[in-house]
Amino acid sequence: YHSSQNKFNILEIGVFEAGNTFQLLETYPKAEVVSVDPNQPSRLERLQKDYGERFTFYQGTSLDYLGQCEDGFDVVLIDGDHNRYTVYNELKLLFEGQEQFPLVLLHDIHKPYGRKDFSYNPNTIPDGELHGDRGGVLSGVEDFIDDFTVEGPWGDNRMFKLTLYRYGPGLG
């Protein structure tokens, strides 16, 4: 996706203090970055001042944003709420809402959040959907792949870009 000649769009889910946001905007000068988080980062004004129209911040949950978003993204970085329900539904909304499935990069697929649900805003998760040690980011990814891989000799080409990478012994 990175090219010195082509513009591309990055969706960043989970901003925290905006460290990754600054790196994305500095590293990819042709990228337009949309960052989504329920909490406003402390360096939001600096981002808006330094990067202008290349940077957009949406204050709210990823599921709210993806549910109303009509833009397509080339790359999606998911490092938001660390639970099966949210990750599964983020991937589902991306899959259903775009013509081509984007390159998806996931953070925290390893311990402790690969198999353990954690939510910054548990009141936004439906009853019965937080599973403690039976949930997690990795579980959401695996359940999504199980539910949305299309049958065929090569599967669905949108799924080729979703690569699950595990490292280290005993993870997952």
Side-chain angles (χ1 to χ4, degrees):
Y1 293 102
H2 175 53
S3 169
S4 61
Q5 299 174 5
N6 297 325
K7 287 187 176 187
F8 61 103
N9 300 316
I10 299 173
L11 173 61
E12 176 191 31
I13 296 174
V15 179
F16 191 55
E17 292 298 321
N20 285 333
T21 314
F22 280 102
Q23 287 183 349
L24 291 169
L25 289 160
E26 282 297 314
T27 303
Y28 303 107
K30 298 275 184 175
E32 293 181 6
V33 176
V34 175
S35 297
V36 176
D37 199 290
N39 302 305
Q40 184 173 310
S42 60
R43 301 186 289 175
L44 179 61
E45 287 182 23
R46 180 171 165 217
L47 283 163
Q48 292 169 329
K49 178 180 172 260
D50 291 354
Y51 300 102
E53 293 182 13
R54 290 185 47 224
F55 171 73
T56 303
F57 178 72
Y58 176 87
Q59 187 167 356
T61 69
S62 57
L63 298 181
D64 288 342
Y65 177 77
L66 290 169
Q68 56 88 35
C69 177
E70 295 181 9
D71 299 328
F73 294 95
D74 300 301
V75 179
V76 178
L77 172 61
I78 297 178
D79 185 18
D81 221 9
H82 298 57
N83 63 80
R84 182 219 161 271
Y85 174 83
T86 301
V87 171
Y88 177 90
N89 283 289
E90 288 167 341
L91 294 171
K92 179 182 174 189
L93 287 166
L94 286 166
F95 184 80
E96 294 174 343
Q98 297 200 131
E99 187 174 312
Q100 181 176 352
F101 197 74
L103 171 66
V104 177
L105 307 169
L106 296 127
H107 190 253
D108 295 316
I109 63 167
H110 53 85
K111 292 181 181 178
Y113 301 115
R115 298 287 185 208
K116 182 177 182 174
D117 274 345
F118 172 78
S119 177
Y120 294 99
N121 300 301
N123 59 331
T124 65
I125 309 298
D127 288 342
E129 289 293 342
L130 283 177
H131 302 290
D133 292 338
R134 297 184 342 262
V137 174
L138 184 57
S139 298
V141 172
E142 290 171 339
D143 290 350
F144 170 77
I145 291 171
D146 288 346
D147 290 351
F148 287 91
T149 300
V150 178
E151 296 295 323
W154 300 103
D156 183 324
N157 64 5
R158 292 183 286 181
M159 293 307 301
F160 287 166
K161 293 181 182 171
L162 181 63
T163 301
L164 183 60
Y165 175 73
R166 292 192 222 177
Y167 57 91
L171 299 179

